[in-house]
Amino acid sequence: MAKSSLSFVCQNCGAAYNRWQGKCDSCGEWNTLVEEDTTGATTMPVSIRSKRKGRQFALESLSGKSQDAPRLSSGMAELDRVTGGGFVRGSVLLVGGDPGIGKSTLLTQATSQLARAGHRAVYISGEEAVAQVRLRAERLGLADAPVQLAAETSVEDIVSTLSEGATPRLIVIDSIQTMWTDTVESAPGTVTQVRASAQALIRFAKKSGAAIILVGHVTKDGQIAGPRVVEHMVDAVLSFEGEGSQQFRILRAVKNRFGPTDEIGVFEMTGLGLREVSNPSELFLSERDLGSPGTAVFAGIEGTRPVLVELQALVAPTSLGTPRRAVVGWDPSRLSMVLAVLEAHCGVKLSGHDVYLNVAGGLRIQEPAADLAAAAALVSSLVNAPLPADAVYFGEISLSGAIRPVAQTSARLKEAAKLGFKRAVLPESARGEAGSDSGLALTSVGGLTSLVAEIAARGSPRGNRDAANEKNATPARFRRQEG
């Protein structure tokens, strides 16, 4: 018999140590090392290891014809968009998101749509009882869908049950952190159990051809909990994002072996579940406050879909020694870069002001094309000059203050014209790509200085206006001192 081998495994990154220590040297997290039994085939003596010879397999050339992987539509257009057209047979997807964001609701709706279409769909819950899943289905109006339910956590029992009868087309495991297998001696949720359970389910998916969706917990910083090796094992990683105070939910593909990784699906949380949003631009701009300084509409691209969203900025004098820089929905480092360019090349002094930037609607922007819209909103708030309500902005700002072109200019302008916008502010070099059939009045900008001067000419600095108001409110003895 092999001697039991104990080691301390980090529950955040999966690194193993031969003794306990407070901090993991690999990921830098504290108090994440847990003692686990890592006895396995690699610790067995050579004399009792299997003597089986390897089998021969056929080798193929690069010149052969490649066929597209057969896909199964989920019945939800937004979900199919993110997955690349549907579920691929034998694929394994990992879905992560904050607690209560709507992961179980989304997957319940997807399995119900497939079951109603005549496919075998199975929902395995490791966190909820069957009665709780039925209550959710009744609330969503899906109680009549022929979905097969079970509350089970043993991977061996799940694989044995699903191997009987017709092969399921879709299997949902909610969640992978609750699964356990007999092959390792660790508690459910540990790194060893999560890795071994995921490997067993992936092996079953590749052998049977069933598509499996694994639900994963997330950490406090939004990362999918467990070892990063699980994300490398699966075929696709989907992130379900959204703010608890907003009704919008965004499904984003972080990794996808069978489709694009920059597509998003937009949903709206309602009392009857998640409703697909076919035109997210109209939804994000539905509550605009027209005529307010510090707001600019950004024409962005998410995958192949153009999305228009409002950027809100607030620049206010600070009473602290170090001004605040707060941003929601955008990269804080890009905000710092835009502020530095405004101060260095445009003469906009922001070192004595607090700066707040928010992307309305809960969308998270990742492309650098939002630099121009963010800069316009910041200057508009500083000088109290409202931007044109019928204008959109897009363009990347370089460190020299020049406006660089971005991709898919025509698609951005077409979406803006469809929603009723009349003008667009874009990089000068992108004017030729836009063409003359966009239907918008195009304002090309070669450098950020010209845009800042044009906005500042329409308003007065907030500091001057505040000083005038304070002068009218001060006692006479202070006014006499001013002459």
Side-chain angles (χ1 to χ4, degrees):
M1 294 295 294
K3 184 178 179 180
S4 177
S5 175
L6 295 178
S7 65
F8 296 87
V9 181
C10 176
Q11 304 303 300
N12 185 58
C13 66
Y17 303 88
N18 57 2
R19 62 183 181 85
W20 185 89
Q21 57 190 40
K23 181 180 179 181
C24 176
D25 296 334
S26 179
C27 63
E29 294 292 330
W30 287 86
N31 300 324
T32 57
L33 268 63
V34 176
E35 186 178 13
E36 295 184 12
D37 189 354
T38 59
T39 304
T42 56
T43 61
M44 295 182 181
V46 179
S47 58
I48 64 175
R49 291 183 185 175
S50 174
K51 302 296 183 180
R52 182 183 67 86
K53 294 183 179 180
R55 64 177 180 85
Q56 296 182 354
F57 55 89
L59 301 175
E60 311 218 353
S61 64
L62 293 174
S63 59
K65 293 183 179 181
S66 299
Q67 298 181 355
D68 294 336
R71 295 182 181 271
L72 175 65
S73 175
S74 64
M76 304 178 69
E78 293 298 308
L79 181 58
D80 290 342
R81 173 190 292 270
V82 178
T83 56
F87 302 119
V88 178
R89 293 180 59 89
S91 62
V92 180
L93 293 80
L94 179 63
V95 178
D98 294 331
I101 201 68
K103 300 185 299 296
S104 300
T105 300
L106 174 66
L107 298 180
T108 301
Q109 293 182 224
T111 52
S112 300
Q113 293 282 359
L114 284 174
R116 286 176 174 176
H119 304 287
R120 185 187 179 191
V122 182
Y123 193 102
I124 306 294
S125 176
E127 300 177 346
E128 298 175 303
V130 173
Q132 294 175 299
V133 180
R134 286 174 177 168
L135 286 175
R136 184 190 306 115
E138 291 178 3
R139 178 175 56 85
L140 301 176
L142 305 173
D144 60 336
V147 178
Q148 298 178 335
L149 303 177
E152 186 58 53
T153 57
S154 174
V155 173
E156 284 76 17
D157 296 344
I158 292 174
V159 171
S160 177
T161 302
L162 298 179
S163 300
E164 298 294 331
T167 302
R169 295 302 303 272
L170 179 64
I171 304 170
V172 174
I173 304 295
D174 188 7
S175 65
I176 187 60
Q177 273 80 13
T178 61
M179 298 294 124
W180 63 276
T181 174
D182 293 333
T183 57
V184 294
E185 297 181 2
S186 298
T190 58
V191 170
T192 306
Q193 279 287 1
V194 170
R195 184 190 294 113
S197 300
Q199 181 61 46
L201 293 171
I202 292 173
R203 191 183 307 113
F204 172 76
K206 303 303 180 184
K207 181 179 178 181
S208 63
I212 297 182
I213 299 180
L214 307 177
V215 179
H217 294 170
V218 296
T219 59
K220 59 183 179 180
D221 57 351
Q223 301 294 326
I224 297 180
R228 301 288 295 186
V229 68
V230 175
E231 299 187 24
H232 299 304
M233 293 162 59
V234 299
D235 299 308
V237 179
L238 308 181
S239 176
F240 206 37
E241 307 170 355
E243 298 291 337
S245 59
Q246 298 283 349
Q247 69 270 29
F248 313 129
R249 301 291 185 268
I250 298 172
L251 184 65
R252 188 185 302 273
V254 180
K255 167 191 174 182
N256 194 352
R257 291 175 179 166
F258 306 110
T261 58
D262 52 1
E263 290 284 0
I264 65 169
V266 183
F267 301 87
E268 181 182 7
M269 179 63 74
T270 65
L272 297 178
L274 292 168
R275 183 182 67 87
E276 299 179 65
V277 179
S278 58
N279 190 354
S281 300
E282 186 176 358
L283 185 65
F284 290 139
L285 299 177
S286 59
E287 299 179 359
R288 286 185 63 198
D289 189 7
L290 301 178
S292 297
T295 61
V297 178
F298 164 60
I301 292 289
E302 292 289 345
T304 59
R305 166 190 284 172
V307 177
L308 270 61
V309 64
E310 183 183 30
L311 268 65
Q312 303 171 347
L314 176 61
V315 179
T318 182
S319 59
L320 305 175
T322 302
R324 293 196 60 184
R325 301 289 186 262
V327 57
V328 178
W330 201 39
D331 188 4
S333 60
R334 295 209 68 87
L335 175 62
S336 301
M337 186 200 74
V338 171
L339 294 177
V341 173
L342 286 173
E343 189 152 354
H345 297 287
C346 304
V348 180
K349 301 301 181 182
L350 296 171
S351 57
H353 293 76
D354 293 331
V355 175
Y356 304 89
L357 186 69
N358 176 49
V359 179
L363 182 66
R364 184 171 296 276
I365 299 176
Q366 297 181 345
E367 60 172 336
D371 292 349
L372 190 61
L378 291 170
V379 177
S380 171
S381 176
L382 177 65
V383 302
N384 194 35
L387 298 175
D390 59 349
V392 296
Y393 299 80
F394 61 90
E396 181 182 356
I397 298 177
S398 65
L399 292 179
S400 62
I403 308 300
R404 300 173 58 87
V406 295
Q408 303 187 40
T409 299
S410 59
R412 301 173 195 263
L413 297 177
K414 183 179 180 180
E415 180 71 10
K418 185 174 67 174
L419 293 180
F421 289 88
K422 302 301 182 183
R423 66 184 75 178
V425 180
L426 70 165
E428 188 174 13
S429 55
R431 190 181 183 93
E433 181 185 351
S436 59
D437 57 347
S438 60
L440 300 178
L442 305 181
T443 302
S444 57
V445 180
L448 186 60
T449 306
S450 60
L451 178 63
V452 171
E454 191 269 335
I455 298 176
R458 298 199 304 265
S460 59
R462 189 181 304 271
N464 294 347
R465 189 186 74 256
D466 294 343
N469 295 336
E470 292 177 1
K471 179 178 180 180
N472 296 331
T474 50
R477 64 179 182 273
F478 292 103
R479 295 202 299 269
R480 285 196 300 266
Q481 294 177 359
E482 298 174 1

